Amino acid sequence: MTTAKKEDIPLNDQEIVYRFQQMREAQMAYTQKIAELQGDIEEHRIVVETLSKTPKDRKCFRLVGDVLMERTVAEILPAVEQNKAQIEMMHKQLSTKLEEHNKQLTAFQEKHKIRVRN
């Protein structure tokens, strides 16, 4: 008994359109999440820039989940910088995934001769 790959099974027109729509929706979801992360990175950059100019012993507040925490700038600044670094890493990973997804989408589109009408 032979096993056929998922890509080798011929698709009918409806299946092709459905799969293409799913791929486009995933592409939009990646793009939206990347844009959201870019906004978060910018917000963190502004906070880091502002706190860097502030005396280290000054009291400041940080919202963690639903809890407002009172700490000093010296305690909060490293945490904000770490969060920013993690967000930047997620942004980079999602950008890489989006590039891979775009290649797959283009290959699928060319394979099935799909043209998008605007």
Side-chain angles (χ1 to χ4, degrees), residues 87-102:
I87 293 169
E88 287 171 338
M89 186 174 67
M90 285 178 50
H91 179 272
K92 185 177 179 180
Q93 290 172 350
L94 277 178
S95 295
T96 302
K97 283 185 180 181
L98 178 62
E99 288 175 19
E100 292 171 8
H101 188 78
N102 285 341

Side-chain angles (χ1 to χ4, degrees), residues 32 42 47 57 88:
Q32 288 174 342
E42 182 61 20
V47 170
D57 60 339
E88 287 171 338

Side-chain angles (χ1 to χ4, degrees), residues 38-61:
Q38 284 174 333
D40 290 348
I41 290 169
E42 182 61 20
E43 287 177 9
H44 278 72
R45 184 193 64 75
I46 291 169
V47 170
V48 167
E49 186 178 295
T50 303
L51 289 179
S52 296
K53 298 174 187 174
T54 308
K56 303 297 180 204
D57 60 339
R58 184 171 174 185
K59 168 173 53 169
C60 65
F61 296 91

Side-chain angles (χ1 to χ4, degrees), residues 23 27-28 30-31 95-109:
M23 293 174 84
Q27 180 187 38
M28 285 187 272
Y30 279 130
T31 304
S95 295
T96 302
K97 283 185 180 181
L98 178 62
E99 288 175 19
E100 292 171 8
H101 188 78
N102 285 341
K103 289 177 186 175
Q104 291 173 355
L105 182 63
T106 302
F108 185 84
Q109 196 171 357

